[in-house]
Amino acid sequence: MVPLSLSLQFARFPDAPLHRAALPRHKVARWLRAALGDDVQMAEIAVRVVDAEEGQRLNREFRQKDYATNVLTFDYSGAPVVAADLVLCAPVVAREAAELDKPLADHYAHLLVHGALHAQGWDHETSEADAEAMEARETAILAGLGLANPYARD
């Protein structure tokens, strides 16, 4: 098992207890470890769950996109020691989970895996082939965790 230093942080916002309940530390660690590649020897990951205002501000400042997005990855070093911050915007995650008719925790699992893959250099915005490869990797990881394919269309 890959050693993981995990910091799990929740901003103060009205629905924070609901999101905290969906993200027990042991599950977050399990989901992140599942996403770490074979070349990773150690990981230092901070996960921060924020409100829409903070999510939008960070997305605007760091990606020049003026809206709150579901997950932002700030990667500082790749394998063999992965260091990253993952910022999840709670209202966006909750809305998407409801729209997809899936449990909040399952959607968080997907987004944490997605963010951890970004921290290791995976990128779905560079080409269609890269997007397909990243989706396939996410799907395989989530299947290993007993979760459904997040990209399956009904």
Side-chain angles (χ1 to χ4, degrees), residues 11-127:
R12 292 186 179 153
F13 55 94
D15 290 339
L18 170 73
H19 295 271
R20 187 180 298 274
L23 290 165
R25 184 179 183 79
H26 70 280
K27 285 189 178 181
V28 172
R30 180 173 175 247
W31 299 332
L32 291 172
R33 279 193 179 98
L36 297 174
D38 293 335
D39 55 342
V40 176
Q41 296 174 3
M42 187 175 121
E44 299 175 4
I45 300 176
V47 174
R48 181 165 171 77
V49 181
V50 301
D51 62 9
E53 183 180 331
E54 185 174 348
Q56 181 173 353
R57 181 180 56 76
L58 290 169
N59 201 25
R60 182 177 54 245
E61 287 178 14
F62 292 97
R63 296 180 66 228
Q64 291 71 54
K65 297 184 180 191
D66 196 17
Y67 58 87
T69 189
N70 52 17
V71 61
L72 292 167
T73 300
F74 298 92
D75 56 326
Y76 308 112
S77 69
V81 178
V82 171
D85 293 336
L86 305 179
V87 179
L88 296 131
C89 184
V92 175
V93 176
R95 185 190 75 239
E96 290 175 348
E99 289 170 356
L100 295 166
D101 195 29
K102 66 194 280 189
L104 183 59
D106 289 4
H107 196 44
Y108 269 120
H110 172 216
L111 294 173
L112 286 166
V113 166
H114 184 89
L117 289 178
H118 274 306
Q120 296 169 83
W122 291 80
D123 193 341
H124 55 86
E125 295 182 349
T126 49
S127 72

